Amino acid sequence: DSGVTQTPKHLITATGQRVTLRCSPRSGDLSVYWYQQSLDQGLQFLIQYYNGEERAKGNILERFSAQQFPDLHSELNLSSLELGDSALYFCASGRDRGNSPLHFGNGTRLTVT
Amino acid sequence: GQQLNQSPQSMFIQEGEDVSMNCTSSSIFNTWLWYKQDPGEGPVLLIALYKAGELTSNGRLTAQFGITRKDSFLNISASIPSDVGIYFCAGHTNAGKSTFGDGTTLTVKP
């Protein structure tokens, strides 16, 4: 158990809809990272938050947004969903801003129909 | 942006064989990490490397942080069936950017 909790585990929704994925980091970790993993592909970095503030941005679409709350949990909002958004979305947490190892949750599997 | 080239993309080996995979980049990283992902789960950290030239072992796994800070390798000795999975390298910068390789899928035949 990594200590990182992601909910829900599975999400099935229709194109055009909006969903929110939730992540609770490991106790004591201040950074939260979001990754997208499409079928048989690698991990695409979306965005990182550190102690409530956006720290680094990757290949995140404008239709996607995230935030980290004062209690350090984070939410990833995906809107105007398209079929190609179907993927595993992982949250990871780290102790500090950038160099510490990441601990991953078990992901949310999003299926857009 | 920074990219990592991870190779090989996949490996099919016999149980008991040694495995070697590596990652290279045109950019310098401050930290190199190796993760393993089992089906349906999130990646799990195997080894973290913080200094150029550092060689670290974790059981049958050995990884090295290249002296140029642009590459790293992971070796698995005497492979066993439970080594099956996808292995990812990742490079971190002090700016908070983390970049993952595309993964090496390992299949071990009993």
PDB file of all heavy atoms in Angstrom, chain A residues 39-75:
ATOM      1  N   LEU A  39      -3.799   3.160 -23.154  1.00  0.00           N
ATOM      2  CA  LEU A  39      -3.568   1.726 -23.291  1.00  0.00           C
ATOM      3  C   LEU A  39      -2.194   1.437 -23.874  1.00  0.00           C
ATOM      4  O   LEU A  39      -1.823   1.962 -24.902  1.00  0.00           O
ATOM      5  CB  LEU A  39      -4.659   1.134 -24.198  1.00  0.00           C
ATOM      6  CG  LEU A  39      -4.713  -0.386 -24.274  1.00  0.00           C
ATOM      7  CD1 LEU A  39      -5.067  -0.955 -22.908  1.00  0.00           C
ATOM      8  CD2 LEU A  39      -5.729  -0.815 -25.320  1.00  0.00           C
ATOM      9  N   ASP A  40      -1.440   0.594 -23.174  1.00  0.00           N
ATOM     10  CA  ASP A  40      -0.120   0.162 -23.645  1.00  0.00           C
ATOM     11  C   ASP A  40       0.836   1.319 -23.884  1.00  0.00           C
ATOM     12  O   ASP A  40       1.746   1.209 -24.698  1.00  0.00           O
ATOM     13  CB  ASP A  40      -0.254  -0.649 -24.944  1.00  0.00           C
ATOM     14  CG  ASP A  40      -0.970  -1.971 -24.693  1.00  0.00           C
ATOM     15  OD1 ASP A  40      -0.922  -2.461 -23.539  1.00  0.00           O
ATOM     16  OD2 ASP A  40      -1.588  -2.500 -25.630  1.00  0.00           O
ATOM     17  N   GLN A  41       0.620   2.395 -23.188  1.00  0.00           N
ATOM     18  CA  GLN A  41       1.537   3.524 -23.355  1.00  0.00           C
ATOM     19  C   GLN A  41       2.157   3.909 -22.024  1.00  0.00           C
ATOM     20  O   GLN A  41       1.792   3.409 -20.962  1.00  0.00           O
ATOM     21  CB  GLN A  41       0.797   4.711 -23.973  1.00  0.00           C
ATOM     22  CG  GLN A  41       0.398   4.463 -25.406  1.00  0.00           C
ATOM     23  CD  GLN A  41      -0.042   5.745 -26.090  1.00  0.00           C
ATOM     24  OE1 GLN A  41       0.111   6.835 -25.565  1.00  0.00           O
ATOM     25  NE2 GLN A  41      -0.607   5.604 -27.281  1.00  0.00           N
ATOM     26  N   GLY A  42       3.090   4.812 -22.107  1.00  0.00           N
ATOM     27  CA  GLY A  42       3.789   5.273 -20.923  1.00  0.00           C
ATOM     28  C   GLY A  42       2.983   6.279 -20.139  1.00  0.00           C
ATOM     29  O   GLY A  42       1.812   6.542 -20.421  1.00  0.00           O
ATOM     30  N   LEU A  43       3.622   6.840 -19.149  1.00  0.00           N
ATOM     31  CA  LEU A  43       2.988   7.810 -18.254  1.00  0.00           C
ATOM     32  C   LEU A  43       3.230   9.219 -18.773  1.00  0.00           C
ATOM     33  O   LEU A  43       4.372   9.657 -18.880  1.00  0.00           O
ATOM     34  CB  LEU A  43       3.561   7.663 -16.854  1.00  0.00           C
ATOM     35  CG  LEU A  43       3.236   6.349 -16.167  1.00  0.00           C
ATOM     36  CD1 LEU A  43       4.268   6.024 -15.107  1.00  0.00           C
ATOM     37  CD2 LEU A  43       1.849   6.416 -15.539  1.00  0.00           C
ATOM     38  N   GLN A  44       2.146   9.908 -19.063  1.00  0.00           N
ATOM     39  CA  GLN A  44       2.252  11.281 -19.528  1.00  0.00           C
ATOM     40  C   GLN A  44       1.990  12.224 -18.356  1.00  0.00           C
ATOM     41  O   GLN A  44       0.906  12.216 -17.777  1.00  0.00           O
ATOM     42  CB  GLN A  44       1.239  11.543 -20.646  1.00  0.00           C
ATOM     43  CG  GLN A  44       1.478  10.696 -21.881  1.00  0.00           C
ATOM     44  CD  GLN A  44       2.806  10.966 -22.533  1.00  0.00           C
ATOM     45  OE1 GLN A  44       3.220  12.114 -22.688  1.00  0.00           O
ATOM     46  NE2 GLN A  44       3.518   9.908 -22.902  1.00  0.00           N
ATOM     47  N   PHE A  45       2.982  13.032 -18.051  1.00  0.00           N
ATOM     48  CA  PHE A  45       2.867  13.977 -16.943  1.00  0.00           C
ATOM     49  C   PHE A  45       1.877  15.068 -17.304  1.00  0.00           C
ATOM     50  O   PHE A  45       1.974  15.700 -18.359  1.00  0.00           O
ATOM     51  CB  PHE A  45       4.246  14.566 -16.647  1.00  0.00           C
ATOM     52  CG  PHE A  45       4.237  15.725 -15.691  1.00  0.00           C
ATOM     53  CD1 PHE A  45       3.823  15.558 -14.380  1.00  0.00           C
ATOM     54  CD2 PHE A  45       4.672  16.970 -16.094  1.00  0.00           C
ATOM     55  CE1 PHE A  45       3.828  16.626 -13.490  1.00  0.00           C
ATOM     56  CE2 PHE A  45       4.693  18.038 -15.209  1.00  0.00           C
ATOM     57  CZ  PHE A  45       4.267  17.870 -13.910  1.00  0.00           C
ATOM     58  N   LEU A  46       0.930  15.316 -16.412  1.00  0.00           N
ATOM     59  CA  LEU A  46      -0.065  16.357 -16.648  1.00  0.00           C
ATOM     60  C   LEU A  46       0.259  17.619 -15.861  1.00  0.00           C
ATOM     61  O   LEU A  46       0.417  18.704 -16.430  1.00  0.00           O
ATOM     62  CB  LEU A  46      -1.463  15.857 -16.267  1.00  0.00           C
ATOM     63  CG  LEU A  46      -2.005  14.686 -17.078  1.00  0.00           C
ATOM     64  CD1 LEU A  46      -3.371  14.263 -16.560  1.00  0.00           C
ATOM     65  CD2 LEU A  46      -2.082  15.022 -18.557  1.00  0.00           C
ATOM     66  N   ILE A  47       0.355  17.481 -14.543  1.00  0.00           N
ATOM     67  CA  ILE A  47       0.525  18.676 -13.726  1.00  0.00           C
ATOM     68  C   ILE A  47       0.998  18.291 -12.332  1.00  0.00           C
ATOM     69  O   ILE A  47       0.763  17.172 -11.879  1.00  0.00           O
ATOM     70  CB  ILE A  47      -0.802  19.471 -13.664  1.00  0.00           C
ATOM     71  CG1 ILE A  47      -0.585  20.902 -13.200  1.00  0.00           C
ATOM     72  CG2 ILE A  47      -1.841  18.738 -12.814  1.00  0.00           C
ATOM     73  CD1 ILE A  47      -1.758  21.830 -13.513  1.00  0.00           C
ATOM     74  N   GLN A  48       1.694  19.227 -11.684  1.00  0.00           N
ATOM     75  CA  GLN A  48       2.161  19.021 -10.315  1.00  0.00           C
ATOM     76  C   GLN A  48       1.742  20.189  -9.443  1.00  0.00           C
ATOM     77  O   GLN A  48       1.807  21.342  -9.862  1.00  0.00           O
ATOM     78  CB  GLN A  48       3.683  18.894 -10.243  1.00  0.00           C
ATOM     79  CG  GLN A  48       4.204  18.675  -8.816  1.00  0.00           C
ATOM     80  CD  GLN A  48       5.613  19.179  -8.578  1.00  0.00           C
ATOM     81  OE1 GLN A  48       6.270  19.682  -9.487  1.00  0.00           O
ATOM     82  NE2 GLN A  48       6.105  19.039  -7.362  1.00  0.00           N
ATOM     83  N   TYR A  49       1.320  19.874  -8.226  1.00  0.00           N
ATOM     84  CA  TYR A  49       1.046  20.888  -7.218  1.00  0.00           C
ATOM     85  C   TYR A  49       1.942  20.658  -6.014  1.00  0.00           C
ATOM     86  O   TYR A  49       2.239  19.517  -5.664  1.00  0.00           O
ATOM     87  CB  TYR A  49      -0.422  20.843  -6.770  1.00  0.00           C
ATOM     88  CG  TYR A  49      -1.331  21.512  -7.761  1.00  0.00           C
ATOM     89  CD1 TYR A  49      -1.783  20.821  -8.884  1.00  0.00           C
ATOM     90  CD2 TYR A  49      -1.712  22.839  -7.623  1.00  0.00           C
ATOM     91  CE1 TYR A  49      -2.586  21.435  -9.819  1.00  0.00           C
ATOM     92  CE2 TYR A  49      -2.520  23.464  -8.549  1.00  0.00           C
ATOM     93  CZ  TYR A  49      -2.949  22.756  -9.649  1.00  0.00           C
ATOM     94  OH  TYR A  49      -3.747  23.364 -10.579  1.00  0.00           O
ATOM     95  N   TYR A  50       2.374  21.749  -5.425  1.00  0.00           N
ATOM     96  CA  TYR A  50       3.170  21.665  -4.205  1.00  0.00           C
ATOM     97  C   TYR A  50       2.549  22.587  -3.170  1.00  0.00           C
ATOM     98  O   TYR A  50       2.454  23.796  -3.399  1.00  0.00           O
ATOM     99  CB  TYR A  50       4.631  22.056  -4.460  1.00  0.00           C
ATOM    100  CG  TYR A  50       5.460  22.114  -3.207  1.00  0.00           C
ATOM    101  CD1 TYR A  50       5.913  20.951  -2.600  1.00  0.00           C
ATOM    102  CD2 TYR A  50       5.775  23.336  -2.603  1.00  0.00           C
ATOM    103  CE1 TYR A  50       6.656  20.993  -1.439  1.00  0.00           C
ATOM    104  CE2 TYR A  50       6.521  23.387  -1.449  1.00  0.00           C
ATOM    105  CZ  TYR A  50       6.952  22.221  -0.860  1.00  0.00           C
ATOM    106  OH  TYR A  50       7.692  22.256   0.295  1.00  0.00           O
ATOM    107  N   ASN A  51       2.107  22.013  -2.090  1.00  0.00           N
ATOM    108  CA  ASN A  51       1.557  22.769  -0.961  1.00  0.00           C
ATOM    109  C   ASN A  51       0.481  23.757  -1.405  1.00  0.00           C
ATOM    110  O   ASN A  51       0.452  24.903  -0.956  1.00  0.00           O
ATOM    111  CB  ASN A  51       2.679  23.501  -0.227  1.00  0.00           C
ATOM    112  CG  ASN A  51       2.330  23.767   1.224  1.00  0.00           C
ATOM    113  OD1 ASN A  51       1.438  23.145   1.787  1.00  0.00           O
ATOM    114  ND2 ASN A  51       3.017  24.704   1.828  1.00  0.00           N
ATOM    115  N   GLY A  52      -0.346  23.312  -2.322  1.00  0.00           N
ATOM    116  CA  GLY A  52      -1.489  24.119  -2.743  1.00  0.00           C
ATOM    117  C   GLY A  52      -1.277  24.950  -3.991  1.00  0.00           C
ATOM    118  O   GLY A  52      -2.234  25.510  -4.531  1.00  0.00           O
ATOM    119  N   GLU A  53      -0.024  25.032  -4.447  1.00  0.00           N
ATOM    120  CA  GLU A  53       0.216  25.876  -5.621  1.00  0.00           C
ATOM    121  C   GLU A  53       0.708  25.050  -6.801  1.00  0.00           C
ATOM    122  O   GLU A  53       1.458  24.090  -6.631  1.00  0.00           O
ATOM    123  CB  GLU A  53       1.259  26.942  -5.281  1.00  0.00           C
ATOM    124  CG  GLU A  53       0.770  27.915  -4.232  1.00  0.00           C
ATOM    125  CD  GLU A  53       1.662  29.137  -4.142  1.00  0.00           C
ATOM    126  OE1 GLU A  53       2.657  29.216  -4.879  1.00  0.00           O
ATOM    127  OE2 GLU A  53       1.349  30.014  -3.311  1.00  0.00           O
ATOM    128  N   GLU A  54       0.315  25.459  -7.982  1.00  0.00           N
ATOM    129  CA  GLU A  54       0.784  24.792  -9.187  1.00  0.00           C
ATOM    130  C   GLU A  54       2.281  24.981  -9.316  1.00  0.00           C
ATOM    131  O   GLU A  54       2.800  26.097  -9.214  1.00  0.00           O
ATOM    132  CB  GLU A  54       0.082  25.377 -10.411  1.00  0.00           C
ATOM    133  CG  GLU A  54       0.449  24.679 -11.709  1.00  0.00           C
ATOM    134  CD  GLU A  54      -0.204  25.349 -12.909  1.00  0.00           C
ATOM    135  OE1 GLU A  54      -1.446  25.444 -12.933  1.00  0.00           O
ATOM    136  OE2 GLU A  54       0.536  25.776 -13.815  1.00  0.00           O
ATOM    137  N   ARG A  55       2.992  23.851  -9.565  1.00  0.00           N
ATOM    138  CA  ARG A  55       4.457  23.919  -9.578  1.00  0.00           C
ATOM    139  C   ARG A  55       5.026  23.626 -10.949  1.00  0.00           C
ATOM    140  O   ARG A  55       6.009  24.223 -11.356  1.00  0.00           O
ATOM    141  CB  ARG A  55       5.004  22.914  -8.587  1.00  0.00           C
ATOM    142  CG  ARG A  55       6.510  22.736  -8.616  1.00  0.00           C
ATOM    143  CD  ARG A  55       7.136  23.088  -7.301  1.00  0.00           C
ATOM    144  NE  ARG A  55       8.564  22.813  -7.368  1.00  0.00           N
ATOM    145  CZ  ARG A  55       9.486  23.773  -7.500  1.00  0.00           C
ATOM    146  NH1 ARG A  55       9.142  25.032  -7.562  1.00  0.00           N
ATOM    147  NH2 ARG A  55      10.755  23.459  -7.568  1.00  0.00           N
ATOM    148  N   ALA A  56       4.440  22.670 -11.646  1.00  0.00           N
ATOM    149  CA  ALA A  56       4.947  22.332 -12.978  1.00  0.00           C
ATOM    150  C   ALA A  56       3.785  21.821 -13.813  1.00  0.00           C
ATOM    151  O   ALA A  56       2.840  21.220 -13.304  1.00  0.00           O
ATOM    152  CB  ALA A  56       6.043  21.271 -12.890  1.00  0.00           C
ATOM    153  N   LYS A  57       3.869  22.122 -15.108  1.00  0.00           N
ATOM    154  CA  LYS A  57       2.806  21.737 -16.013  1.00  0.00           C
ATOM    155  C   LYS A  57       3.386  20.907 -17.145  1.00  0.00           C
ATOM    156  O   LYS A  57       4.430  21.247 -17.697  1.00  0.00           O
ATOM    157  CB  LYS A  57       2.155  23.003 -16.585  1.00  0.00           C
ATOM    158  CG  LYS A  57       0.666  22.947 -16.731  1.00  0.00           C
ATOM    159  CD  LYS A  57       0.109  24.339 -16.987  1.00  0.00           C
ATOM    160  CE  LYS A  57      -1.397  24.306 -17.015  1.00  0.00           C
ATOM    161  NZ  LYS A  57      -1.991  25.623 -17.123  1.00  0.00           N
ATOM    162  N   GLY A  58       2.690  19.853 -17.491  1.00  0.00           N
ATOM    163  CA  GLY A  58       3.124  19.016 -18.595  1.00  0.00           C
ATOM    164  C   GLY A  58       2.158  19.152 -19.743  1.00  0.00           C
ATOM    165  O   GLY A  58       1.679  20.233 -20.051  1.00  0.00           O
ATOM    166  N   ASN A  59       1.846  18.018 -20.371  1.00  0.00           N
ATOM    167  CA  ASN A  59       0.970  18.033 -21.540  1.00  0.00           C
ATOM    168  C   ASN A  59      -0.493  17.980 -21.131  1.00  0.00           C
ATOM    169  O   ASN A  59      -1.219  17.070 -21.500  1.00  0.00           O
ATOM    170  CB  ASN A  59       1.294  16.838 -22.438  1.00  0.00           C
ATOM    171  CG  ASN A  59       2.733  16.877 -22.918  1.00  0.00           C
ATOM    172  OD1 ASN A  59       3.261  17.926 -23.229  1.00  0.00           O
ATOM    173  ND2 ASN A  59       3.367  15.711 -22.959  1.00  0.00           N
ATOM    174  N   ILE A  60      -0.934  18.964 -20.402  1.00  0.00           N
ATOM    175  CA  ILE A  60      -2.311  18.961 -19.931  1.00  0.00           C
ATOM    176  C   ILE A  60      -3.175  19.794 -20.873  1.00  0.00           C
ATOM    177  O   ILE A  60      -2.834  20.921 -21.227  1.00  0.00           O
ATOM    178  CB  ILE A  60      -2.410  19.471 -18.470  1.00  0.00           C
ATOM    179  CG1 ILE A  60      -3.823  19.304 -17.942  1.00  0.00           C
ATOM    180  CG2 ILE A  60      -1.878  20.881 -18.323  1.00  0.00           C
ATOM    181  CD1 ILE A  60      -3.961  19.466 -16.445  1.00  0.00           C
ATOM    182  N   LEU A  61      -4.292  19.208 -21.310  1.00  0.00           N
ATOM    183  CA  LEU A  61      -5.188  19.894 -22.223  1.00  0.00           C
ATOM    184  C   LEU A  61      -5.897  21.041 -21.500  1.00  0.00           C
ATOM    185  O   LEU A  61      -6.088  21.006 -20.281  1.00  0.00           O
ATOM    186  CB  LEU A  61      -6.229  18.907 -22.771  1.00  0.00           C
ATOM    187  CG  LEU A  61      -5.684  17.719 -23.551  1.00  0.00           C
ATOM    188  CD1 LEU A  61      -6.819  16.724 -23.848  1.00  0.00           C
ATOM    189  CD2 LEU A  61      -5.030  18.171 -24.847  1.00  0.00           C
ATOM    190  N   GLU A  62      -6.350  22.017 -22.292  1.00  0.00           N
ATOM    191  CA  GLU A  62      -7.078  23.137 -21.685  1.00  0.00           C
ATOM    192  C   GLU A  62      -8.402  22.689 -21.090  1.00  0.00           C
ATOM    193  O   GLU A  62      -8.935  23.350 -20.184  1.00  0.00           O
ATOM    194  CB  GLU A  62      -7.320  24.223 -22.745  1.00  0.00           C
ATOM    195  CG  GLU A  62      -6.073  25.026 -23.032  1.00  0.00           C
ATOM    196  CD  GLU A  62      -6.376  26.279 -23.832  1.00  0.00           C
ATOM    197  OE1 GLU A  62      -7.559  26.667 -23.924  1.00  0.00           O
ATOM    198  OE2 GLU A  62      -5.433  26.865 -24.372  1.00  0.00           O
ATOM    199  N   ARG A  63      -8.941  21.581 -21.590  1.00  0.00           N
ATOM    200  CA  ARG A  63     -10.205  21.040 -21.058  1.00  0.00           C
ATOM    201  C   ARG A  63     -10.008  20.398 -19.673  1.00  0.00           C
ATOM    202  O   ARG A  63     -10.980  20.068 -19.001  1.00  0.00           O
ATOM    203  CB  ARG A  63     -10.766  19.971 -22.003  1.00  0.00           C
ATOM    204  CG  ARG A  63     -11.065  20.461 -23.388  1.00  0.00           C
ATOM    205  CD  ARG A  63     -11.688  19.358 -24.233  1.00  0.00           C
ATOM    206  NE  ARG A  63     -10.742  18.351 -24.656  1.00  0.00           N
ATOM    207  CZ  ARG A  63     -10.713  17.101 -24.188  1.00  0.00           C
ATOM    208  NH1 ARG A  63     -11.550  16.713 -23.249  1.00  0.00           N
ATOM    209  NH2 ARG A  63      -9.839  16.220 -24.665  1.00  0.00           N
ATOM    210  N   PHE A  64      -8.751  20.233 -19.285  1.00  0.00           N
ATOM    211  CA  PHE A  64      -8.455  19.612 -17.983  1.00  0.00           C
ATOM    212  C   PHE A  64      -7.960  20.684 -17.019  1.00  0.00           C
ATOM    213  O   PHE A  64      -7.237  21.605 -17.411  1.00  0.00           O
ATOM    214  CB  PHE A  64      -7.363  18.544 -18.126  1.00  0.00           C
ATOM    215  CG  PHE A  64      -7.726  17.366 -18.984  1.00  0.00           C
ATOM    216  CD1 PHE A  64      -6.811  16.336 -19.175  1.00  0.00           C
ATOM    217  CD2 PHE A  64      -8.965  17.242 -19.586  1.00  0.00           C
ATOM    218  CE1 PHE A  64      -7.116  15.225 -19.953  1.00  0.00           C
ATOM    219  CE2 PHE A  64      -9.292  16.136 -20.374  1.00  0.00           C
ATOM    220  CZ  PHE A  64      -8.353  15.133 -20.558  1.00  0.00           C
ATOM    221  N   SER A  65      -8.306  20.533 -15.775  1.00  0.00           N
ATOM    222  CA  SER A  65      -7.789  21.450 -14.765  1.00  0.00           C
ATOM    223  C   SER A  65      -7.624  20.680 -13.461  1.00  0.00           C
ATOM    224  O   SER A  65      -8.203  19.600 -13.288  1.00  0.00           O
ATOM    225  CB  SER A  65      -8.732  22.637 -14.559  1.00  0.00           C
ATOM    226  OG  SER A  65      -9.968  22.192 -14.040  1.00  0.00           O
ATOM    227  N   ALA A  66      -6.815  21.218 -12.598  1.00  0.00           N
ATOM    228  CA  ALA A  66      -6.597  20.548 -11.313  1.00  0.00           C
ATOM    229  C   ALA A  66      -6.420  21.597 -10.233  1.00  0.00           C
ATOM    230  O   ALA A  66      -6.211  22.775 -10.511  1.00  0.00           O
ATOM    231  CB  ALA A  66      -5.373  19.640 -11.392  1.00  0.00           C
ATOM    232  N   GLN A  67      -6.527  21.131  -9.000  1.00  0.00           N
ATOM    233  CA  GLN A  67      -6.210  22.001  -7.888  1.00  0.00           C
ATOM    234  C   GLN A  67      -5.831  21.152  -6.683  1.00  0.00           C
ATOM    235  O   GLN A  67      -6.193  19.962  -6.610  1.00  0.00           O
ATOM    236  CB  GLN A  67      -7.371  22.935  -7.552  1.00  0.00           C
ATOM    237  CG  GLN A  67      -8.679  22.260  -7.208  1.00  0.00           C
ATOM    238  CD  GLN A  67      -9.799  23.281  -7.008  1.00  0.00           C
ATOM    239  OE1 GLN A  67     -10.844  23.204  -7.636  1.00  0.00           O
ATOM    240  NE2 GLN A  67      -9.578  24.228  -6.124  1.00  0.00           N
ATOM    241  N   GLN A  68      -5.101  21.772  -5.777  1.00  0.00           N
ATOM    242  CA  GLN A  68      -4.742  21.118  -4.522  1.00  0.00           C
ATOM    243  C   GLN A  68      -5.303  21.979  -3.393  1.00  0.00           C
ATOM    244  O   GLN A  68      -5.091  23.185  -3.355  1.00  0.00           O
ATOM    245  CB  GLN A  68      -3.232  20.972  -4.372  1.00  0.00           C
ATOM    246  CG  GLN A  68      -2.829  20.144  -3.152  1.00  0.00           C
ATOM    247  CD  GLN A  68      -1.321  19.993  -3.009  1.00  0.00           C
ATOM    248  OE1 GLN A  68      -0.560  20.830  -3.467  1.00  0.00           O
ATOM    249  NE2 GLN A  68      -0.889  18.921  -2.364  1.00  0.00           N
ATOM    250  N   PHE A  69      -5.998  21.329  -2.502  1.00  0.00           N
ATOM    251  CA  PHE A  69      -6.709  22.031  -1.451  1.00  0.00           C
ATOM    252  C   PHE A  69      -5.841  22.178  -0.196  1.00  0.00           C
ATOM    253  O   PHE A  69      -4.793  21.542  -0.087  1.00  0.00           O
ATOM    254  CB  PHE A  69      -7.997  21.268  -1.128  1.00  0.00           C
ATOM    255  CG  PHE A  69      -8.975  21.263  -2.270  1.00  0.00           C
ATOM    256  CD1 PHE A  69      -8.900  20.290  -3.267  1.00  0.00           C
ATOM    257  CD2 PHE A  69      -9.946  22.245  -2.386  1.00  0.00           C
ATOM    258  CE1 PHE A  69      -9.783  20.284  -4.339  1.00  0.00           C
ATOM    259  CE2 PHE A  69     -10.836  22.242  -3.453  1.00  0.00           C
ATOM    260  CZ  PHE A  69     -10.746  21.266  -4.430  1.00  0.00           C
ATOM    261  N   PRO A  70      -6.270  23.032   0.755  1.00  0.00           N
ATOM    262  CA  PRO A  70      -5.474  23.229   1.972  1.00  0.00           C
ATOM    263  C   PRO A  70      -5.162  21.943   2.737  1.00  0.00           C
ATOM    264  O   PRO A  70      -4.118  21.854   3.388  1.00  0.00           O
ATOM    265  CB  PRO A  70      -6.340  24.183   2.806  1.00  0.00           C
ATOM    266  CG  PRO A  70      -7.100  24.969   1.783  1.00  0.00           C
ATOM    267  CD  PRO A  70      -7.392  23.991   0.670  1.00  0.00           C
ATOM    268  N   ASP A  71      -6.043  20.951   2.655  1.00  0.00           N
ATOM    269  CA  ASP A  71      -5.732  19.690   3.346  1.00  0.00           C
ATOM    270  C   ASP A  71      -4.848  18.794   2.489  1.00  0.00           C
ATOM    271  O   ASP A  71      -4.587  17.647   2.847  1.00  0.00           O
ATOM    272  CB  ASP A  71      -7.010  18.956   3.745  1.00  0.00           C
ATOM    273  CG  ASP A  71      -7.791  18.450   2.538  1.00  0.00           C
ATOM    274  OD1 ASP A  71      -7.417  18.801   1.390  1.00  0.00           O
ATOM    275  OD2 ASP A  71      -8.770  17.705   2.718  1.00  0.00           O
ATOM    276  N   LEU A  72      -4.369  19.318   1.372  1.00  0.00           N
ATOM    277  CA  LEU A  72      -3.412  18.699   0.442  1.00  0.00           C
ATOM    278  C   LEU A  72      -4.021  17.663  -0.497  1.00  0.00           C
ATOM    279  O   LEU A  72      -3.303  17.170  -1.380  1.00  0.00           O
ATOM    280  CB  LEU A  72      -2.212  18.095   1.183  1.00  0.00           C
ATOM    281  CG  LEU A  72      -1.412  19.096   2.021  1.00  0.00           C
ATOM    282  CD1 LEU A  72      -0.283  18.393   2.757  1.00  0.00           C
ATOM    283  CD2 LEU A  72      -0.851  20.207   1.135  1.00  0.00           C
ATOM    284  N   HIS A  73      -5.306  17.366  -0.356  1.00  0.00           N
ATOM    285  CA  HIS A  73      -5.863  16.474  -1.358  1.00  0.00           C
ATOM    286  C   HIS A  73      -6.005  17.250  -2.666  1.00  0.00           C
ATOM    287  O   HIS A  73      -6.003  18.489  -2.685  1.00  0.00           O
ATOM    288  CB  HIS A  73      -7.189  15.856  -0.884  1.00  0.00           C
ATOM    289  CG  HIS A  73      -8.421  16.629  -1.258  1.00  0.00           C
ATOM    290  ND1 HIS A  73      -8.962  17.608  -0.458  1.00  0.00           N
ATOM    291  CD2 HIS A  73      -9.218  16.535  -2.353  1.00  0.00           C
ATOM    292  CE1 HIS A  73     -10.050  18.085  -1.046  1.00  0.00           C
ATOM    293  NE2 HIS A  73     -10.225  17.458  -2.179  1.00  0.00           N
ATOM    294  N   SER A  74      -6.093  16.520  -3.755  1.00  0.00           N
ATOM    295  CA  SER A  74      -6.125  17.155  -5.058  1.00  0.00           C
ATOM    296  C   SER A  74      -7.270  16.586  -5.885  1.00  0.00           C
ATOM    297  O   SER A  74      -7.702  15.440  -5.675  1.00  0.00           O
ATOM    298  CB  SER A  74      -4.802  16.926  -5.793  1.00  0.00           C
ATOM    299  OG  SER A  74      -4.818  17.498  -7.095  1.00  0.00           O
ATOM    300  N   GLU A  75      -7.758  17.402  -6.794  1.00  0.00           N
ATOM    301  CA  GLU A  75      -8.785  16.966  -7.734  1.00  0.00           C
ATOM    302  C   GLU A  75      -8.357  17.309  -9.152  1.00  0.00           C
ATOM    303  O   GLU A  75      -7.771  18.376  -9.386  1.00  0.00           O
ATOM    304  CB  GLU A  75     -10.128  17.625  -7.415  1.00  0.00           C
ATOM    305  CG  GLU A  75     -10.724  17.155  -6.111  1.00  0.00           C
ATOM    306  CD  GLU A  75     -12.064  17.794  -5.796  1.00  0.00           C
ATOM    307  OE1 GLU A  75     -12.505  18.693  -6.548  1.00  0.00           O
ATOM    308  OE2 GLU A  75     -12.669  17.393  -4.787  1.00  0.00           O
TER     309      GLU A  75
END
